Amino acid sequence: MLEAPQLLTTRPQPAAIIRFTIPRAQMPQIMGPAVQELMAAVKAQGAGPAGPLFAHHLRMSPDTFDFELGLPVTRPVTPVGRVQPGALPATRVARTVYRGPYEGLGGAWGEFRAWIAQQGHTATEGLWECYVSGPEASPDPSQWRTELNQPLVG
């Protein structure tokens, strides 16, 4: 289920990130340890977190994800282990919120992209998802919320 999409311009959001280029099938295995690593680094440096975890996909192919797993911070972090300073960009985006289990994200993105095209907008390469609430907030997947952000041309 998607909320009504909106168009807006984002501000840069400093973040702690870990960059990955992995086979798509490895995503479930890397997420847990990477989230723990990010949280530990951010908390140890007293830098937040300042918002929900996100996955910023830079390039996607059917078999490979090239992305940054990130956590917004209140101030830049010092590199430690795989954790590096980064940021979500300032850009014009279409945004919506998907409610439901993570397995439904592919279909939600398809529906969202169709809306973007119907409105006459052109998406750029890359996108990001913010995991607003998930299994840590409720065992009921119908309560999970993922914010979908698609940068636009112009």
Side-chain angles (χ1 to χ4, degrees):
M1 170 182 220
L2 293 181
E3 293 181 3
Q6 55 182 314
L7 302 176
L8 57 120
T9 300
T10 62
R11 294 182 179 189
Q13 171 62 63
I17 63 161
I18 300 175
R19 175 97 184 245
F20 293 96
T21 302
I22 59 169
R24 182 181 285 241
Q26 285 184 5
M27 184 76 135
Q29 289 79 34
I30 67 102
M31 287 294 278
V35 169
Q36 291 175 356
E37 187 176 348
L38 278 169
M39 288 294 239
V42 167
K43 288 180 178 180
Q45 295 185 35
L53 184 75
F54 64 84
H56 182 197
H57 293 269
L58 306 167
R59 283 178 287 295
M60 293 169 51
S61 72
D63 300 323
T64 305
F65 279 164
D66 181 4
F67 74 104
E68 298 169 340
L69 185 64
L71 195 60
V73 293
T74 56
R75 61 180 181 78
V77 295
T78 301
V80 58
R82 299 184 299 173
V83 177
Q84 299 293 316
L88 284 172
T91 191
R92 185 167 175 255
V93 300
R95 176 180 289 166
T96 189
V97 173
Y98 162 71
R99 293 180 183 269
Y102 297 139
E103 295 80 15
L105 280 167
W109 274 107
E111 183 180 335
F112 185 39
R113 286 194 177 119
W115 178 87
I116 291 168
Q118 289 167 355
Q119 302 303 307
H121 302 292
T122 303
T124 65
E125 186 172 36
L127 56 87
W128 70 88
E129 300 173 340
C130 296
Y131 307 104
V132 178
S133 64
E136 76 290 343
S138 171
D140 178 2
S142 70
Q143 300 300 310
W144 300 356
R145 295 178 54 228
T146 307
E147 181 184 274
L148 311 181
N149 293 276
Q150 177 61 67
L152 303 172
V153 173

